[in-house]
Amino acid sequence: MARPPAARSKCLDAYISLLCEEGERAATLEATASRAGVSKGGLLYHFASKEALAVGVIESTEEHVQLDLTRMSEVPEGASVYYVRTSAEVDTELDRHLVAVQRLAQAGVISASEMLKDVHSRWFQLILDEVGDQSIAHLVILIGEGLYAHLATPGSWYQSTFDGRLQELLDLVPQLKKLK
Amino acid sequence: MARPPAARSKCLDAYISLLCEEGERAATLEATASRAGVSKGGLLYHFASKEALAVGVIESTEEHVQLDLTRMSEVPEGASVYYVRTSAEVDTELDRHLVAVQRLAQAGVISASEMLKDVHSRWFQLILDEVGDQSIAHLVILIGEGLYAHLATPGSWYQSTFDGRLQELLDLVPQLKKLK
DNA sequence: GTCTATAAAAAGATAGAC
DNA sequence: GTCTATCTTTTTATAGAC
C-alpha cells in the first residue's frame, strides 16, 4: 500500500491538536501517543523522534498551503477578501496546521520559521498583484494576521467583542484600495 | 530596604528574555538561573516555583501596561496612531513583557490569558473613544495586532519586506476613519 | 506494526551548609 | 541570600517480545 497507514495520520493529527490546544510543552510523546490511541512505542515506530514529528507536521502543512494559494489566486472575490475571510476561519485543516507550525517556530524549530516566512511572502505577492500598492497590501496582510493572532489564542478577547462583526470587517476590505 | 533586591529583578528579566527569545520550553529554572548569573537555589529563593516566576512576570507587566494606557489616552497624535506606532516598537520593556505573557498564555497559564484579554479590551476602548465606530476600531486593533505578531516572531517575513515602510503605514491610519 | 520494559537525561523542587 | 547536593518525576529514546 502506497498510502501511509492510518495510525501514522492519527499520531500526526494528535500532535497537531496538542500543539494548538495546549502548546508545545504539553505536546509530549506520551501525550501524543495517548491522544492518538497508541502506545509510545507505536508512535515511535512511525516517527522515530520528536524532530521527525515536527518534520511530519511541516510536510503536511505544505500540502494544505499549496491548495490554499491556488484557490486564493482563482476566487472571484479577489485575493484580499479571500485572505482576510479565511484568516478568520478557525478549525479548518489549514488553520490548525498553521497554528501548529507557529507553535513549533516559537519553540525554536528553524524549518517551521522558514515555512511561515515563505508562506507569508507568497500570500503577500498574490495580494500585491491584486491591489497594486505595497502599503495597501501590507495593510491587508496585517489585518489578516491580527485576526489570525486573535483566533489562534484560546479564550481571546475577540470572542466577546468581535464575534459576529466579521462581515462588517470584510465589507471594509475592498474599500482599503481607495485609500491614498 | 523596601526595594526588591537586584538579584530578583535579574531572575525575572532572564526569564522574560528566555520566554521571548527561545520559547516557554527553553525557559527552564536552570536556564533562567544561568542567564541571571545565579544558581538554581538562588533563583528558587526569590521565586519558590515555576508558577511564582510566571506570577512575577504578570505583575511586572501590569505596571508597564498601566503606564502605556495612561500615555495612550493623552498623546496628541491620538490613541489609534499611538497604538499602531507602539505595536511596531520592538525591544521596549512593555513589548518584551507582553511577548513573555503571550508565551505563557500559549503554554496554558490562565492568568496570562486573562491579562491579555483585559489589556486588549482596554486598548480597544481607548481607540473606540477616538474613532467612534466599532468596525473601524476593530480594523485599527487588528492592524496593530498583525504588526505585533510579525515582530514577535523572530526571523519573520516583515524584516525583508516591511522594514522601512512603517511611516507609510502610519500615514494611512488616520485615513481609516474616513471609510464607510 | 504495535506493545512492554527499561535506560538515560533533563526538569522541578527540597534540605541544609555557609 | 546564595550555594551545593540530592531526590522525584517527567521526557525522550532504545531493546526486544509478540
Side-chain angles (χ1 to χ4, degrees), chain B:
Chain B
M1 27 190 160
R3 227 170 312 278
R8 200 191 123 100
S9 291
K10 279 190 134 188
C11 291
L12 208 52
D13 194 63
Y15 186 54
I16 290 171
S17 294
L18 283 167
L19 285 172
C20 295
E21 295 161 21
E22 302 183 35
E24 197 272 336
R25 182 162 224 169
T28 64
L29 292 181
E30 195 157 59
T32 301
S34 168
R35 182 172 290 214
V38 299
S39 68
K40 230 194 284 195
L43 167 60
L44 284 164
Y45 170 77
H46 295 291
F47 297 95
S49 69
K50 205 89 193 297
E51 205 191 327
L53 216 32
V55 171
V57 172
I58 290 168
E59 286 175 352
S60 172
T61 303
E62 181 59 32
E63 295 172 27
H64 288 282
V65 166
Q66 294 285 3
L67 287 173
D68 181 68
L69 286 165
T70 303
R71 222 172 281 135
M72 186 168 165
S73 64
E74 291 172 349
V75 284
E77 63 188 337
S80 300
V81 172
Y82 175 87
Y83 171 76
V84 174
R85 186 171 55 73
T86 55
S87 291
E89 282 176 4
V90 88
D91 283 337
T92 62
E93 274 307 293
L94 175 63
D95 190 68
R96 289 179 66 243
H97 278 73
L98 287 174
V99 172
V101 171
Q102 197 191 46
R103 298 284 195 265
L104 291 173
Q106 286 176 355
V109 177
I110 305 297
S111 53
S113 301
E114 288 174 345
M115 145 154 273
L116 287 179
K117 188 174 171 177
D118 182 57
V119 173
H120 280 123
S121 78
R122 289 193 275 171
W123 279 333
F124 179 76
Q125 194 53 54
L126 288 182
I127 290 166
L128 181 57
D129 289 348
E130 186 202 10
V131 305
D133 178 276
Q134 291 245 355
S135 292
I136 307 288
H138 277 126
L139 217 52
V140 173
I141 284 279
L142 291 175
I143 291 166
E145 276 292 289
L147 217 40
Y148 168 81
H150 272 302
L151 297 168
T153 306
S156 158
W157 154 89
Y158 99 97
Q159 283 157 4
S160 47
T161 321
F162 186 68
D163 210 11
R165 299 193 157 268
L166 177 62
Q167 193 53 53
E168 293 175 29
L169 191 75
L170 289 178
D171 292 342
L172 287 176
V173 173
Q175 300 182 51
L176 291 175
K177 292 185 218 170
K178 295 183 213 152
L179 290 177
K180 273 205 156 164

